[in-house]
Amino acid sequence: AIEWERVGEVNDLVMSPGGEVNAVLLDIGGFLGIGEDHVRVDMESLNIQRDAEAGEVRVYVDMTEESLKAMKETK
């Protein structure tokens, strides 16, 4: 069974010089913006779905929070 868990939020988009979105930067973990890890995830790894009724866009990634944190970028 698949378990969906909220692990973070999209912080920014990484664009190519031609204007295409190459990746997203996710903020993982933390509390109220403190102690977050910043993770770059390529578009091929994302499943983006829009809920027209709720007016929401959700981004799903088939990774655990721990595996995402292992990819964190230093800033």
Side-chain angles (χ1 to χ4, degrees):
I2 296 176
E3 291 185 32
W4 299 107
E5 179 182 347
R6 186 180 194 285
V7 296
E9 61 185 39
V10 175
N11 178 334
D12 207 352
L13 303 176
V14 179
M15 308 289 285
S16 74
E20 293 181 23
V21 178
N22 288 336
V24 298
L25 295 178
L26 303 177
D27 290 340
I28 306 297
F31 182 70
L32 298 176
I34 300 171
E36 293 176 333
D37 292 310
H38 307 285
V39 180
R40 177 186 169 134
V41 179
D42 293 328
M43 292 301 292
E44 295 81 31
S45 299
L46 302 175
N47 178 353
I48 301 171
Q49 297 189 9
R50 181 172 185 264
D51 183 343
E53 284 186 25
E56 295 178 342
V57 175
R58 293 185 179 210
V59 179
Y60 297 95
V61 60
D62 189 18
M63 294 181 218
T64 64
E65 183 174 0
E66 291 77 24
S67 61
L68 286 167
K69 283 186 174 188
M71 299 168 46
K72 73 180 179 181
E73 296 188 350
T74 55
K75 284 195 174 186

Coordinates of all heavy atoms in Angstrom, one line a residue:
A1 N 0.8 -1.2 0.0 CA 0.0 0.0 0.0 C 0.9 1.2 0.0 O 1.9 1.3 0.7 CB -0.9 0.0 1.2
I2 N 0.5 2.2 -0.8 CA 1.2 3.5 -0.9 C 0.8 4.4 0.3 O -0.4 4.5 0.6 CB 0.9 4.2 -2.2 CG1 1.5 3.3 -3.4 CG2 1.6 5.6 -2.2 CD1 1.1 3.9 -4.7
E3 N 1.8 5.0 0.9 CA 1.5 5.9 2.0 C 2.0 7.3 1.6 O 3.2 7.4 1.3 CB 2.2 5.5 3.3 CG 1.6 4.3 3.9 CD 2.2 3.9 5.2 OE1 2.6 4.9 5.9 OE2 2.3 2.8 5.5
W4 N 1.1 8.3 1.5 CA 1.5 9.6 1.1 C 1.8 10.4 2.4 O 1.0 10.4 3.3 CB 0.4 10.3 0.3 CG 0.1 9.6 -1.0 CD1 -1.0 8.8 -1.2 CD2 0.9 9.5 -2.1 NE1 -0.9 8.3 -2.5 CE2 0.3 8.7 -3.1 CE3 2.2 10.1 -2.5 CZ2 0.8 8.4 -4.3 CZ3 2.7 9.8 -3.7 CH2 2.0 9.0 -4.7
E5 N 2.9 11.1 2.4 CA 3.3 11.9 3.6 C 3.8 13.2 3.1 O 4.6 13.3 2.2 CB 4.4 11.1 4.4 CG 4.9 11.8 5.6 CD 6.0 11.0 6.3 OE1 6.2 9.9 5.9 OE2 6.7 11.6 7.1
R6 N 3.4 14.3 3.8 CA 3.9 15.6 3.5 C 5.2 15.8 4.1 O 5.4 15.6 5.3 CB 2.9 16.7 4.0 CG 3.3 18.1 3.6 CD 2.4 19.1 4.2 NE 2.5 20.4 3.5 CZ 3.5 21.2 3.8 NH1 4.5 20.9 4.6 NH2 3.6 22.4 3.1
V7 N 6.3 16.0 3.2 CA 7.6 16.1 3.8 C 8.2 17.5 3.6 O 9.3 17.8 4.1 CB 8.6 15.0 3.2 CG1 8.1 13.6 3.6 CG2 8.6 15.2 1.7
G8 N 7.6 18.3 2.8 CA 8.1 19.7 2.5 C 7.3 20.4 1.5 O 6.2 20.1 1.2
E9 N 7.9 21.5 1.0 CA 7.2 22.3 0.0 C 8.2 22.8 -1.0 O 9.4 22.9 -0.8 CB 6.6 23.5 0.7 CG 7.5 24.4 1.4 CD 6.7 25.5 2.2 OE1 5.7 25.2 2.8 OE2 7.2 26.6 2.2
V10 N 7.6 23.1 -2.2 CA 8.4 23.7 -3.3 C 8.9 25.1 -2.9 O 8.0 25.9 -2.6 CB 7.7 23.7 -4.6 CG1 8.5 24.3 -5.7 CG2 7.3 22.2 -5.0
N11 N 10.1 25.4 -3.0 CA 10.7 26.7 -2.6 C 10.9 27.5 -3.9 O 10.6 28.7 -4.0 CB 12.0 26.5 -1.8 CG 12.6 27.9 -1.5 OD1 12.5 28.8 -2.2 ND2 13.4 27.9 -0.5
D12 N 11.5 26.8 -4.9 CA 11.9 27.6 -6.1 C 12.0 26.6 -7.3 O 12.0 25.4 -7.1 CB 13.3 28.2 -5.9 CG 13.5 29.5 -6.7 OD1 12.7 29.8 -7.6 OD2 14.5 30.2 -6.5
L13 N 12.0 27.2 -8.5 CA 12.2 26.4 -9.7 C 13.6 26.7 -10.3 O 14.0 27.8 -10.2 CB 11.1 26.8 -10.7 CG 9.7 26.7 -10.3 CD1 8.7 27.2 -11.4 CD2 9.3 25.3 -10.0
V14 N 14.2 25.7 -10.9 CA 15.5 25.8 -11.6 C 15.2 25.9 -13.0 O 14.7 24.9 -13.6 CB 16.4 24.7 -11.2 CG1 17.8 24.8 -11.9 CG2 16.6 24.6 -9.7
M15 N 15.5 27.0 -13.7 CA 15.2 27.2 -15.1 C 16.5 27.0 -16.0 O 17.6 27.4 -15.5 CB 14.6 28.6 -15.3 CG 13.5 28.9 -14.4 SD 11.9 28.1 -14.8 CE 11.4 28.9 -16.2
S16 N 16.3 26.6 -17.2 CA 17.3 26.5 -18.2 C 17.4 27.9 -18.8 O 16.5 28.7 -18.7 CB 17.0 25.5 -19.2 OG 16.0 26.0 -20.1
P17 N 18.5 28.2 -19.5 CA 18.6 29.5 -20.2 C 17.5 29.7 -21.2 O 17.1 30.8 -21.5 CB 20.0 29.4 -21.0 CG 20.8 28.4 -20.1 CD 19.8 27.4 -19.6
G18 N 16.9 28.6 -21.7 CA 15.8 28.7 -22.7 C 14.4 28.8 -22.0 O 13.4 28.9 -22.7
G19 N 14.4 28.9 -20.7 CA 13.1 29.1 -20.0 C 12.4 27.9 -19.6 O 11.2 27.9 -19.2
E20 N 13.0 26.7 -19.8 CA 12.3 25.4 -19.4 C 12.7 25.1 -17.9 O 13.8 25.4 -17.4 CB 12.8 24.3 -20.2 CG 12.4 24.4 -21.7 CD 12.8 23.2 -22.5 OE1 13.1 22.1 -21.9 OE2 12.9 23.3 -23.7
V21 N 11.7 24.6 -17.2 CA 11.9 24.2 -15.8 C 12.7 22.8 -15.8 O 12.3 21.8 -16.3 CB 10.6 24.0 -15.0 CG1 10.9 23.5 -13.6 CG2 9.8 25.3 -15.0
N22 N 13.9 22.9 -15.2 CA 14.8 21.7 -15.2 C 14.6 20.9 -13.9 O 14.7 19.7 -13.9 CB 16.3 22.1 -15.3 CG 16.6 22.5 -16.7 OD1 16.0 22.1 -17.6 ND2 17.7 23.3 -16.8
A23 N 14.3 21.6 -12.8 CA 14.3 21.0 -11.5 C 13.5 21.9 -10.5 O 13.2 23.1 -10.9 CB 15.7 20.7 -10.9
V24 N 13.2 21.4 -9.4 CA 12.6 22.2 -8.3 C 13.5 22.1 -7.1 O 14.2 21.1 -6.9 CB 11.2 21.8 -7.9 CG1 10.2 21.9 -9.1 CG2 11.1 20.4 -7.4
L25 N 13.5 23.2 -6.3 CA 14.1 23.2 -5.0 C 13.1 23.0 -3.9 O 12.1 23.7 -3.9 CB 14.9 24.5 -4.8 CG 16.1 24.7 -5.7 CD1 16.7 26.1 -5.4 CD2 17.1 23.6 -5.6
L26 N 13.2 21.9 -3.1 CA 12.3 21.6 -2.1 C 12.9 22.0 -0.7 O 14.1 21.8 -0.5 CB 12.0 20.1 -2.1 CG 11.4 19.5 -3.3 CD1 11.2 18.0 -3.2 CD2 10.1 20.1 -3.7
D27 N 12.0 22.5 0.2 CA 12.4 22.7 1.6 C 11.8 21.5 2.3 O 10.6 21.3 2.4 CB 11.8 24.0 2.1 CG 12.5 25.2 1.5 OD1 13.6 25.1 1.0 OD2 11.9 26.3 1.6
I28 N 12.7 20.7 2.9 CA 12.3 19.5 3.6 C 12.6 19.6 5.1 O 13.6 20.1 5.5 CB 13.2 18.3 3.1 CG1 13.1 18.2 1.6 CG2 12.8 17.0 3.8 CD1 11.7 17.9 1.0
G29 N 11.6 19.2 5.9 CA 11.7 19.2 7.3 C 11.7 20.5 7.9 O 11.1 21.5 7.3
G30 N 12.2 20.7 9.1 CA 12.2 22.0 9.8 C 10.9 22.3 10.4 O 9.9 21.5 10.3
F31 N 10.8 23.4 11.0 CA 9.6 23.9 11.6 C 9.5 25.4 11.5 O 10.4 26.1 11.9 CB 9.6 23.5 13.1 CG 8.3 23.9 13.8 CD1 7.1 23.3 13.5 CD2 8.3 24.9 14.7 CE1 5.9 23.6 14.2 CE2 7.1 25.3 15.4 CZ 6.0 24.7 15.1
L32 N 8.5 25.9 10.9 CA 8.3 27.3 10.6 C 9.5 28.0 10.0 O 9.9 29.1 10.3 CB 8.0 28.1 11.9 CG 6.7 27.6 12.6 CD1 6.5 28.3 14.0 CD2 5.5 27.9 11.8
G33 N 10.1 27.3 9.0 CA 11.2 27.8 8.2 C 12.5 27.7 8.9 O 13.5 28.1 8.3
I34 N 12.6 27.1 10.1 CA 13.9 26.9 10.8 C 14.3 25.5 10.7 O 13.6 24.5 10.9 CB 13.7 27.3 12.3 CG1 13.3 28.8 12.3 CG2 15.0 27.1 13.0 CD1 12.9 29.2 13.7
G35 N 15.6 25.3 10.3 CA 16.2 23.9 10.2 C 15.8 23.1 9.0 O 15.9 21.9 9.0
E36 N 15.3 23.8 8.0 CA 15.0 23.1 6.7 C 16.2 22.7 6.0 O 17.2 23.4 6.0 CB 14.1 24.0 5.8 CG 12.7 24.3 6.4 CD 11.9 25.2 5.6 OE1 12.6 26.1 4.9 OE2 10.7 25.2 5.7
D37 N 16.1 21.6 5.2 CA 17.1 21.1 4.3 C 16.6 21.5 2.9 O 15.4 21.4 2.6 CB 17.3 19.6 4.4 CG 17.9 19.2 5.7 OD1 19.0 19.8 6.1 OD2 17.4 18.3 6.3
H38 N 17.5 21.9 2.0 CA 17.2 22.4 0.7 C 17.6 21.3 -0.3 O 18.8 20.9 -0.3 CB 17.9 23.7 0.3 CG 17.6 24.8 1.3 ND1 16.3 25.4 1.4 CD2 18.3 25.3 2.3 CE1 16.4 26.3 2.4 NE2 17.5 26.2 3.0
V39 N 16.7 20.8 -1.1 CA 17.0 19.6 -1.9 C 16.6 19.9 -3.4 O 15.5 20.4 -3.6 CB 16.2 18.4 -1.4 CG1 16.4 17.2 -2.3 CG2 16.5 18.0 0.0
R40 N 17.4 19.7 -4.3 CA 17.1 19.8 -5.7 C 16.7 18.5 -6.3 O 17.4 17.5 -6.1 CB 18.4 20.3 -6.5 CG 18.1 20.5 -7.9 CD 19.4 20.8 -8.7 NE 19.3 20.7 -10.1 CZ 19.7 21.6 -11.0 NH1 20.3 22.7 -10.5 NH2 19.5 21.4 -12.2
V41 N 15.5 18.5 -6.9 CA 14.9 17.3 -7.5 C 14.6 17.6 -9.0 O 14.0 18.5 -9.3 CB 13.7 16.8 -6.8 CG1 13.1 15.6 -7.4 CG2 13.9 16.6 -5.3
D42 N 15.1 16.7 -9.9 CA 14.9 16.8 -11.3 C 13.4 16.6 -11.6 O 12.8 15.8 -11.0 CB 15.8 15.9 -12.1 CG 17.3 16.2 -12.0 OD1 17.6 17.4 -11.8 OD2 18.1 15.3 -12.0
M43 N 13.0 17.2 -12.7 CA 11.6 17.1 -13.1 C 11.1 15.7 -13.4 O 10.0 15.3 -13.1 CB 11.3 18.0 -14.3 CG 11.4 19.5 -14.1 SD 10.3 20.1 -12.8 CE 8.7 19.9 -13.6
E44 N 12.1 14.9 -13.9 CA 11.7 13.5 -14.2 C 11.3 12.7 -13.0 O 10.6 11.7 -13.1 CB 12.9 12.8 -14.9 CG 13.3 13.4 -16.3 CD 14.2 14.7 -16.2 OE1 14.9 14.8 -15.2 OE2 14.0 15.5 -17.0
S45 N 11.7 13.1 -11.8 CA 11.5 12.4 -10.6 C 10.2 12.9 -9.9 O 9.8 12.3 -8.9 CB 12.6 12.6 -9.6 OG 13.8 12.1 -10.1
L46 N 9.5 13.9 -10.5 CA 8.3 14.4 -9.9 C 7.0 14.0 -10.6 O 7.0 13.8 -11.8 CB 8.4 16.0 -10.0 CG 9.6 16.6 -9.3 CD1 9.6 18.1 -9.6 CD2 9.6 16.3 -7.8
N47 N 6.0 13.9 -9.8 CA 4.6 13.7 -10.4 C 3.8 14.9 -9.9 O 3.5 15.1 -8.7 CB 4.0 12.4 -9.8 CG 2.6 12.1 -10.2 OD1 2.0 12.9 -10.9 ND2 2.1 11.0 -9.9
I48 N 3.5 15.8 -10.9 CA 2.8 17.0 -10.5 C 1.3 16.9 -10.9 O 1.0 16.5 -12.1 CB 3.4 18.2 -11.3 CG1 4.9 18.3 -10.9 CG2 2.6 19.5 -11.0 CD1 5.6 19.3 -11.7
Q49 N 0.4 17.1 -10.0 CA -1.0 17.0 -10.2 C -1.8 18.2 -9.7 O -1.4 18.8 -8.7 CB -1.6 15.7 -9.5 CG -0.9 14.5 -10.0 CD -1.6 13.2 -9.5 OE1 -2.6 13.3 -8.8 NE2 -1.0 12.1 -9.7
R50 N -2.8 18.6 -10.5 CA -3.6 19.8 -10.2 C -5.0 19.4 -9.8 O -5.6 18.6 -10.5 CB -3.6 20.7 -11.4 CG -4.3 22.0 -11.1 CD -4.2 23.0 -12.2 NE -4.8 24.2 -11.9 CZ -6.0 24.6 -12.3 NH1 -6.7 23.8 -13.1 NH2 -6.5 25.8 -12.0
D51 N -5.4 19.9 -8.7 CA -6.8 19.6 -8.2 C -7.6 20.9 -8.6 O -7.5 21.9 -7.8 CB -6.8 19.3 -6.7 CG -8.2 19.0 -6.2 OD1 -9.2 19.3 -6.9 OD2 -8.4 18.5 -5.1
A52 N -8.3 20.9 -9.7 CA -9.0 22.1 -10.1 C -10.1 22.5 -9.1 O -10.3 23.7 -8.9 CB -9.7 21.8 -11.5
E53 N -10.8 21.6 -8.5 CA -11.8 21.9 -7.5 C -11.3 22.6 -6.3 O -11.8 23.6 -5.9 CB -12.6 20.7 -7.1 CG -13.6 20.2 -8.1 CD -14.4 19.0 -7.6 OE1 -14.6 18.9 -6.3 OE2 -14.9 18.2 -8.4
A54 N -10.2 22.1 -5.8 CA -9.6 22.8 -4.6 C -8.6 23.9 -5.0 O -8.2 24.7 -4.1 CB -8.8 21.7 -3.8
G55 N -8.3 24.0 -6.3 CA -7.4 25.1 -6.7 C -5.9 24.9 -6.2 O -5.2 25.8 -6.0
E56 N -5.6 23.6 -6.0 CA -4.2 23.3 -5.5 C -3.4 22.5 -6.6 O -4.0 21.8 -7.4 CB -4.3 22.4 -4.3 CG -5.0 23.0 -3.1 CD -5.1 22.0 -1.9 OE1 -5.0 20.8 -2.1 OE2 -5.3 22.5 -0.8
V57 N -2.1 22.7 -6.5 CA -1.2 21.9 -7.2 C -0.3 21.2 -6.2 O 0.2 21.7 -5.3 CB -0.3 22.8 -8.1 CG1 0.8 22.0 -8.8 CG2 -1.1 23.6 -9.1
R58 N -0.2 19.8 -6.4 CA 0.6 19.0 -5.5 C 1.7 18.3 -6.3 O 1.5 18.0 -7.4 CB -0.3 18.0 -4.8 CG -1.3 18.6 -3.9 CD -2.1 17.6 -3.1 NE -3.0 18.3 -2.2 CZ -3.4 17.8 -1.1 NH1 -3.0 16.6 -0.7 NH2 -4.2 18.5 -0.3
V59 N 2.8 18.3 -5.7 CA 4.0 17.6 -6.3 C 4.3 16.4 -5.5 O 4.5 16.5 -4.2 CB 5.2 18.6 -6.3 CG1 6.4 17.9 -6.9 CG2 4.8 19.9 -7.0
Y60 N 4.3 15.2 -6.1 CA 4.7 14.0 -5.5 C 6.0 13.5 -6.0 O 6.4 13.7 -7.1 CB 3.6 12.9 -5.8 CG 2.2 13.3 -5.3 CD1 1.3 13.9 -6.2 CD2 1.8 13.0 -4.0 CE1 0.0 14.2 -5.7 CE2 0.6 13.3 -3.5 CZ -0.3 13.9 -4.4 OH -1.6 14.3 -3.9
V61 N 6.8 12.9 -5.0 CA 8.0 12.3 -5.4 C 8.1 10.9 -4.7 O 7.7 10.8 -3.5 CB 9.2 13.2 -5.0 CG1 9.2 13.5 -3.5 CG2 10.5 12.7 -5.4
D62 N 8.6 9.9 -5.4 CA 8.6 8.6 -4.9 C 9.9 8.3 -4.1 O 10.8 7.5 -4.5 CB 8.5 7.6 -6.0 CG 8.3 6.1 -5.5 OD1 7.9 6.0 -4.4 OD2 8.5 5.2 -6.3
M63 N 10.1 9.1 -3.0 CA 11.2 9.0 -2.1 C 10.8 9.2 -0.7 O 9.8 10.0 -0.5 CB 12.3 10.0 -2.5 CG 12.9 9.8 -3.8 SD 14.2 11.1 -4.0 CE 14.0 11.4 -5.8
T64 N 11.5 8.7 0.2 CA 11.2 9.0 1.7 C 11.9 10.3 2.0 O 12.8 10.8 1.4 CB 11.8 7.9 2.6 OG1 13.2 7.9 2.5 CG2 11.2 6.5 2.2
E65 N 11.4 10.9 3.2 CA 12.0 12.1 3.7 C 13.5 11.9 3.9 O 14.3 12.8 3.6 CB 11.3 12.5 5.0 CG 11.8 13.9 5.5 CD 11.0 14.4 6.7 OE1 10.1 13.7 7.1 OE2 11.4 15.4 7.2
E66 N 13.9 10.7 4.4 CA 15.3 10.4 4.7 C 16.1 10.4 3.5 O 17.2 11.0 3.4 CB 15.4 9.1 5.5 CG 14.9 9.1 6.9 CD 13.4 9.1 7.0 OE1 12.7 8.6 6.0 OE2 12.8 9.6 8.0
S67 N 15.6 9.8 2.4 CA 16.4 9.8 1.1 C 16.5 11.2 0.5 O 17.5 11.5 -0.1 CB 15.8 8.8 0.2 OG 14.5 9.1 -0.2
L68 N 15.4 12.0 0.7 CA 15.5 13.4 0.2 C 16.5 14.2 1.0 O 17.3 14.9 0.4 CB 14.1 14.0 0.3 CG 13.1 13.6 -0.8 CD1 11.7 14.1 -0.4 CD2 13.5 14.1 -2.2
K69 N 16.6 14.0 2.3 CA 17.5 14.7 3.1 C 19.0 14.4 2.8 O 19.9 15.2 2.9 CB 17.2 14.5 4.6 CG 16.1 15.3 5.1 CD 15.9 15.2 6.6 CE 14.8 16.1 7.1 NZ 14.7 16.2 8.5
A70 N 19.2 13.1 2.3 CA 20.5 12.7 1.9 C 21.0 13.4 0.7 O 22.2 13.5 0.4 CB 20.5 11.2 1.7
M71 N 20.1 14.0 -0.1 CA 20.4 14.8 -1.3 C 20.6 16.3 -1.0 O 20.7 17.0 -1.9 CB 19.3 14.6 -2.3 CG 19.1 13.2 -2.8 SD 17.5 12.9 -3.7 CE 17.6 14.3 -4.9
K72 N 20.5 16.7 0.2 CA 20.4 18.1 0.5 C 21.6 18.9 0.0 O 22.7 18.4 -0.2 CB 20.3 18.4 2.0 CG 21.5 18.1 2.8 CD 21.2 18.4 4.3 CE 22.5 18.2 5.1 NZ 22.2 18.4 6.5
E73 N 21.3 20.1 -0.3 CA 22.3 21.1 -0.9 C 22.8 22.0 0.3 O 22.0 22.3 1.1 CB 21.7 21.9 -2.0 CG 21.3 21.1 -3.2 CD 21.0 22.0 -4.4 OE1 20.8 23.2 -4.2 OE2 20.8 21.4 -5.5
T74 N 24.0 22.4 0.2 CA 24.5 23.3 1.2 C 24.3 24.7 0.7 O 24.5 25.0 -0.5 CB 26.0 23.1 1.5 OG1 26.7 23.2 0.3 CG2 26.2 21.8 2.2
K75 N 23.8 25.6 1.5 CA 23.6 27.0 1.1 C 24.2 27.9 2.1 O 24.3 27.6 3.3 CB 22.1 27.3 1.1 CG 21.4 26.8 -0.2 CD 20.1 27.4 -0.4 CE 19.5 27.0 -1.7 NZ 18.3 27.6 -2.0

